């Protein structure tokens, strides 16, 4: 008996969207970003994954303007002794080093991250996902590895230059003018509102197609599982009808 395939029309591949809520002031978000990048680089369908970085503020009441030493600010906010805060920093610094990151909490300055999030949204609008990713990477590095005072517009302008805004048509003056206004505020506010609706209470928080999610700086293997689950949901395997009498082996038996 000859087999007939009932449908040979190619199925279009569906891109999956990974939304990541994070805050530039969150040390675990930078670590999680690196671990997710490891999983994404090895994912066989990488070309069909759109990563969208979403804004979240862990401490929205932090005053705008110049930053202050992170250890001092955290001890005050949490009501902890400085030596306990330093031990916390030592732990996260050691974990970060395992991901190739050189945290330097002796120089880290706390700051209000709202304008940094606006800058990431501007990057995506003008240069796409690649520029948004490069901008967030530069912000994290400037904050945790170089002690830049990201509460100052000049430091954010320097980050934009480092990330490649000029290639998107925005020079230092254009970025400075953007920071002096309130453009992209609606986008930042929408991200924060969406996080609230989803029940996000901590970052980093990774969501695939608003169907699968994991929280925290998970190992790369967990992010691989997240990507796989989202991909199978969006692109299920289609089994074509052939000869129903064709011989086959099942899990526990084989007709010979």
């Amino acid at each position: 008996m000859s087999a007939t395939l009932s449908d040979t029309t190619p199925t279009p591949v569906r891109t999956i969207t990974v939304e990541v809520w994070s805050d530039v002031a969150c040390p675990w978000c930078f670590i999680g970003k690196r671990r997710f990048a490891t999983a994404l680089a090895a994912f066989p369908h990488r070309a069909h994954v759109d990563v969208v970085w979403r804004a979240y503020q862990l401490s929205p009441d932090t005053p705008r303007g110049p930053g202050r030493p992170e250890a001092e600010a955290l001890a005050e906010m949490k009501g902890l002794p400085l030596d306990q805060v330093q031990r916390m920093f030592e732990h996260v610094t050691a974990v970060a080093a395992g991901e190739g990151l050189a945290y330097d909490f002796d120089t880290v300055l706390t700051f209000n991250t709202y304008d940094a999030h606006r800058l990431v949204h501007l990057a995506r609008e003008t240069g796409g996902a690649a520029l948004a990713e490069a901008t967030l990477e530069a912000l994290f590095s400037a904050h945790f590895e170089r002690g830049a005072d990201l509460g100052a517009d000049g430091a954010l302008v320097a980050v934009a230059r480092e990330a490649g805004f000029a290639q998107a048509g925005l020079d230092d003056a254009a970025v400075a003018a953007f920071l002096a206004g309130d453009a992209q505020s609606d986008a930042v506010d929408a991200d924060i509102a969406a996080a609230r609706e989803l029940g996000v209470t901590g970052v980093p928080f990774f969501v695939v197609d608003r169907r699968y999610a994991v929280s925290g700086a998970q190992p790369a293997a967990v992010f691989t599982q997240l990507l796989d689950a989202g991909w199978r949901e969006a692109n299920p395997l289609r089994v074509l009808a052939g000869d129903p009498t064709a011989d086959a082996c099942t899990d526990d038996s084989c007709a010979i």
Side-chain angles (χ1 to χ4, degrees), residues 120-140:
V120 175
H121 273 285
L122 176 65
R124 185 172 179 93
E125 181 180 82
T126 57
L131 184 58
E133 193 280 332
T135 302
L136 186 59
E137 181 79 13
L139 286 165
F140 275 133

Side-chain angles (χ1 to χ4, degrees), residues 35-223:
R35 291 176 174 174
F36 176 73
T38 297
L40 186 60
F43 190 58
H45 310 292
R46 170 65 186 91
H48 297 285
V49 178
D50 182 25
V51 180
V52 181
W53 299 100
R54 299 292 188 195
Y56 191 91
Q57 283 201 287
L58 290 166
S59 184
D61 295 330
T62 298
R64 297 283 188 99
R68 57 184 293 208
E70 176 75 9
E72 172 188 311
L74 188 59
E76 180 180 302
M77 181 175 67
K78 299 289 187 181
L80 299 173
L82 275 174
D83 60 341
Q84 185 175 344
V85 171
Q86 292 294 344
R87 288 195 297 273
M88 292 165 56
F89 287 165
E90 289 170 4
H91 169 67
V92 72
T93 297
V95 176
E99 304 301 327
L101 304 174
Y103 284 8
D104 182 5
F105 281 100
D106 288 339
T107 63
V108 171
L109 299 172
T110 187
F111 72 107
N112 189 296
T113 60
Y114 193 88
D115 285 340
H117 288 305
R118 288 175 54 224
L119 192 66
V120 175
H121 273 285
L122 176 65
R124 185 172 179 93
E125 181 180 82
T126 57
L131 184 58
E133 193 280 332
T135 302
L136 186 59
E137 181 79 13
L139 286 165
F140 275 133
S141 180
H143 180 57
F144 287 111
E145 299 183 306
R146 303 197 300 274
D149 186 358
L150 298 181
D153 284 0
L156 292 175
V157 169
V159 164
R161 185 189 318 123
E162 175 188 344
F165 271 61
Q167 286 71 38
L170 294 175
D171 60 12
D172 287 2
V175 175
F178 163 79
L179 291 169
D182 63 357
Q184 298 296 336
S185 292
D186 288 349
V188 173
D189 293 344
D191 285 352
I192 294 171
R196 195 159 43 241
E197 290 173 4
L198 290 171
V200 178
T201 57
V203 287
F205 193 81
F206 300 77
V207 184
V208 178
D209 288 343
R210 299 286 174 103
R211 297 182 66 85
Y212 298 94
V214 295
S215 179
Q218 299 286 342
V222 174
F223 290 128

Side-chain angles (χ1 to χ4, degrees), residues 21-43:
W21 275 265
S22 66
D23 194 3
V24 179
C26 167
W28 294 107
C29 290
F30 197 8
I31 293 168
K33 182 178 182 297
R34 280 295 174 88
R35 291 176 174 174
F36 176 73
T38 297
L40 186 60
F43 190 58

